[in-house]
Amino acid sequence: MFTASAKMPGENNKEYSYRVIKEAIMTLKLKPGQSISEIELAEALQISRTPIREVMAKLREEHLVEVKPQVGTNISKINPLLIEEAAFVRVTLEREVFKYSCESFPEVELLELKKNVEMQELLIGKKGMERQFHDLDKQFHFTIFRGNNKENAWAAISRLSTHYNRIRLLSEMEHTFEDAILQHKNMIRIIENNKVEEVEAAIKQHIIEPIKLWEDLYNPGSLYADYFEYSYRPVVS
């Protein structure tokens, strides 16, 4: 099914299974639409079915698994409505937090952003680094929120972005992420030089424009067409 990572110190079986199964879904090791069973998951993780059953209920609430009576349990296909909702929330909140950053931003967090981008640049030209970039990308944006004492706002975005982040990872696997790194560097420049008037254009370039690349992924002829709940055209403003 998938290779599970080892338990982290202090993790109980429920915490472990939730972390590992959700990570497998978010990194597409468990593919959208794929059939899964509690028995197989318990065997893969070498734990009993009880915590797996509890985790399945939690993942169902997060729209990551679907339980169909008399059919079975599947990984949820990527839902366009959830993608568009997450994109709307992310654009709205990131725009405002970005503006705050131009007014005041801790030097230590600015240094953290620069270190993060340096690590991103080390991935350029290397195959199979999309997931590593994806993790660094999320950490980059979280650092901006943390620098403005808005960690809970980022947590809210993350909760809404499970379907959004899966299609983003697909896009990063099919297209280069070098443009995103350049955009991150530009965001640092904007913050460092208090260029609040450039925030709107930067957000549009970094969050809204990449959505246009997704059309190749969800078109009927795409290799990934079956990953989606149905073909759709995302809202891009």
Side-chain angles (χ1 to χ4, degrees), residues 68-87:
K68 299 179 181 179
Q70 301 178 337
V71 176
T73 301
N74 297 318
I75 304 301
S76 295
K77 290 191 175 186
I78 300 173
N79 186 308
L81 297 179
L82 294 177
I83 291 170
E84 291 171 3
E85 185 176 14

Side-chain angles (χ1 to χ4, degrees), residues 40-229:
E40 291 175 339
L41 290 170
E43 289 177 351
L45 302 183
Q46 298 184 335
I47 60 176
S48 71
R49 291 176 60 185
T50 300
I52 298 292
R53 191 175 301 115
E54 295 173 352
V55 165
M56 286 296 102
K58 187 173 182 179
L59 292 173
R60 184 180 181 185
E61 291 176 0
E62 296 178 8
H63 306 290
L64 288 175
V65 300
E66 294 179 348
V67 180
K68 299 179 181 179
Q70 301 178 337
V71 176
T73 301
N74 297 318
I75 304 301
S76 295
K77 290 191 175 186
I78 300 173
N79 186 308
L81 297 179
L82 294 177
I83 291 170
E84 291 171 3
E85 185 176 14
F88 170 78
V89 171
R90 183 168 181 180
V91 166
T92 302
L93 291 180
E94 289 217 33
R95 180 195 295 120
E96 296 309 308
V97 172
F98 199 0
K99 288 178 180 177
Y100 293 155
S101 300
C102 292
E103 297 170 5
S104 176
F105 197 74
E107 189 65 33
V108 63
E109 300 289 15
L110 187 63
L111 181 60
E112 190 66 28
L113 291 178
K114 292 178 179 179
K115 289 180 179 178
N116 182 287
V117 169
E118 288 176 0
M119 293 174 67
Q120 292 177 30
E121 290 181 313
L122 292 175
L123 303 178
I124 294 175
K126 297 180 180 178
K127 293 183 178 180
M129 292 292 108
E130 296 84 10
R131 290 168 184 165
Q132 288 83 344
F133 170 76
H134 192 65
D135 289 340
L136 287 170
D137 176 86
K138 289 188 292 184
Q139 185 62 37
F140 178 90
H141 289 274
F142 169 70
T143 301
I144 294 176
F145 277 74
R146 185 178 63 195
N148 289 279
N149 297 313
K150 296 291 187 293
E151 294 98 325
N152 288 327
W154 178 254
I157 290 175
S158 298
R159 284 193 296 272
L160 283 171
S161 295
T162 51
H163 288 238
Y164 174 88
N165 281 334
R166 285 193 291 169
I167 193 173
R168 278 190 59 222
L169 180 56
L170 270 180
S171 181
E172 288 157 6
M173 290 166 64
E174 292 298 301
H175 304 281
T176 177
F177 47 75
E178 290 184 42
D179 285 346
I181 295 175
L182 292 174
Q183 291 161 17
H184 286 159
K185 295 174 77 171
N186 185 47
M187 292 170 75
I188 292 174
R189 179 191 62 80
I190 290 171
I191 293 171
E192 198 166 21
N193 294 282
N194 311 115
K195 298 287 187 177
V196 68
E197 70 276 8
E198 297 184 26
V199 165
E200 192 75 33
I203 288 293
K204 183 176 182 179
Q205 180 189 43
H206 191 61
I207 300 177
I208 298 176
E209 291 297 324
I211 294 175
K212 296 175 182 178
L213 295 174
W214 299 349
E215 184 173 354
D216 292 339
L217 299 173
Y218 59 74
N219 275 340
S222 166
L223 293 173
Y224 305 108
D226 289 342
Y227 283 14
F228 296 89
E229 196 163 305

